[in-house]
Amino acid sequence: MAENGMKALEEKHHRKAFGLAAKDTSGILSPFIFSRRANGDNDVTIKILYCGICHSDLHTAKNDWKGTVYPLVPGHEIAGIVIEAGCNVLKLKIGDTVGVGCLVGACRSCEKCVQHKENYCPKLVFAYNSIDIDGKITYGGYSNIIVVDEHFVVKFPKNFPVDRGAPLLCAGITVYSPMKNFELDQPGKHIGVVGLGGLGHVAVKFGKAFGMKVTVISTSPWKKEEAIKSLGCRCFSLSAKHALLPLILLLKSEGKMIMVGAPEHPLDLPALPLLLEGKILAGSCIGGMKATQEMLDFAGDHNIAADIELISTDYVNQAMERLAKGDVRYRFVIDVAYWSLVGELLL
């Protein structure tokens, strides 16, 4: 009797949600009903309109990186509208058009958090496949609603195309943050973008907006026309494969190479070219919340948005198959709005 009472109390303080989840390593997504935590004093509840499909979603759904907890609801490029706000929420209000990226939690007190680098907090909470503040697994944006602490929510600029803005919440900040942190945002400097995909095409747009001379380095000769004519790159360089040595040799003395993607296989690191010319090889992982808002504001000021293929929810599994083959220009974005209405009727 007591157990039934506790279950009823828990259900009262949680909100039913509807989404798509992978149930096993096949990565195939199917309808899934689950619960979001109740909207707390510092939280906002967001009705999701759009969610981008990141390659990380595919890897995690298939457990390629190990550690996936099933069922998994992917999605960390989330755009929507605030429909509920807690009593302590100050920067957001009901009706605001907002975004949620890779992060939904951090300790807020460690050195990195104080430096506005929550992305490097040892207690960070990811948007999905992570442990939330209520001790439960987080579920991502392939769903109708999400509840998030307002600190980890950003506002879209006025009149911004949020369907094309959703991918900026991962792809955008992933390239913007290292460009700013490593001084790759200075007019007149040269920057090479390795790979013209979901991240690469956005990096080109930011590089051009910074006034840099942008070269795309790609293994696909057919992307030359897109890089030069469509995206306005200064140069295009064809590469046989993306090995480290030829890329490091392209760097000027004391040049910097920043890795923002996880390679499928370990890379050989040639140390001598780094040592002899003081070249730097570094890594970067997304960005903090202050930088993410700054990135969105900059994108709004310079008309930067992702090039997308908008898809319905019933096409997501086909999109995942195409993504695995690199068959997308340049980001799939799920149109969640209509499906959210259907989901609510099913709950």
Side-chain angles (χ1 to χ4, degrees), residues 32-324:
F32 177 56
I33 295 175
F34 61 101
S35 294
R36 295 288 191 189
R37 72 168 187 263
N39 196 96
D41 292 345
N42 300 310
D43 293 336
V44 293
T45 298
I46 301 165
K47 179 180 180 180
I48 299 173
L49 301 178
Y50 303 101
C51 187
I53 297 181
C54 176
H55 220 117
S56 299
D57 300 347
L58 177 61
H59 285 303
T60 309
K62 290 180 172 291
N63 198 28
D64 291 340
W65 295 335
K66 310 305 177 186
T68 298
V69 177
Y70 297 103
L72 172 88
V73 178
H76 56 210
E77 297 180 344
I78 304 164
I81 297 174
V82 175
I83 59 172
E84 185 177 351
C87 60
N88 293 336
V89 171
L90 298 176
K91 70 175 185 178
L92 302 171
K93 64 182 184 303
I94 292 173
D96 282 347
T97 304
V98 297
V100 177
C102 301
L103 304 180
V104 296
C107 78
R108 308 280 298 278
S109 60
C110 70
E111 178 184 10
K112 292 303 178 184
C113 283
V114 171
Q115 294 172 349
H116 305 290
K117 296 180 179 179
E118 299 93 337
N119 49 312
Y120 297 130
C121 172
K123 295 182 180 180
L124 63 82
V125 181
F126 289 116
Y128 64 85
N129 202 48
S130 197
I131 304 296
D132 206 351
I133 58 174
D134 61 359
K136 297 185 177 181
I137 292 291
T138 54
Y139 293 125
Y142 294 15
S143 56
N144 64 326
I145 61 168
I146 190 168
V147 180
V148 185
D149 185 300
E150 73 159 337
H151 180 78
F152 299 94
V153 180
V154 289
K155 291 181 70 172
F156 279 102
K158 189 177 181 180
N159 300 321
F160 198 88
V162 291
D163 54 347
R164 296 179 59 212
L168 299 183
L169 298 163
C170 174
I173 188 60
T174 294
V175 298
Y176 179 90
S177 180
M179 292 172 84
K180 297 290 286 187
N181 291 339
F182 290 93
E183 299 179 337
L184 301 176
D185 60 344
Q186 299 178 13
K189 279 194 172 183
H190 291 265
I191 184 169
V193 176
V194 182
L196 191 60
L199 272 66
H201 90 286
V202 175
V204 169
K205 294 185 179 189
F206 278 118
K208 284 180 59 60
F210 287 138
M212 304 192 74
K213 299 174 181 177
V214 182
T215 296
V216 164
I217 303 164
S218 175
T219 58
S220 306
W222 55 268
K223 289 186 177 180
K224 180 176 181 178
E225 184 173 356
E226 293 183 31
I228 301 294
K229 293 185 178 180
S230 299
L231 294 173
C233 291
R234 183 172 180 268
C235 298
F236 179 90
S237 178
L238 189 63
S239 172
K241 63 177 181 176
H242 291 327
L244 283 181
L245 180 57
L247 297 174
I248 290 173
L249 293 178
L250 287 175
L251 294 174
K252 293 180 179 179
S253 177
E254 297 186 304
K256 304 163 187 174
M257 178 176 172
I258 318 301
M259 299 191 67
V260 296
E264 294 184 15
H265 306 290
L267 298 172
D268 291 327
L269 176 60
L272 200 58
L274 298 177
L275 300 175
L276 294 178
E277 295 191 77
K279 298 176 180 180
I280 296 171
L281 177 61
S284 179
C285 181
I286 52 176
M289 298 314 302
K290 182 179 179 181
T292 304
Q293 185 64 66
E294 178 187 290
M295 177 273 302
L296 275 187
D297 293 340
F298 183 89
D301 290 341
H302 294 83
N303 297 314
I304 297 172
D307 294 345
I308 68 167
E309 184 174 334
L310 193 63
I311 63 170
S312 61
T313 53
D314 58 5
Y315 190 76
V316 173
N317 285 310
Q318 292 97 313
M320 287 290 197
E321 292 176 3
R322 286 179 54 192
L323 179 61

Side-chain angles (χ1 to χ4, degrees), residues 2-16 34-39 134-136:
E3 184 178 341
N4 290 337
M6 288 296 293
K7 184 176 181 181
L9 183 64
E10 181 179 338
E11 289 179 352
K12 180 181 177 182
H13 291 286
H14 285 72
R15 186 166 187 160
K16 289 291 185 183
F34 61 101
S35 294
R36 295 288 191 189
R37 72 168 187 263
N39 196 96
D134 61 359
K136 297 185 177 181

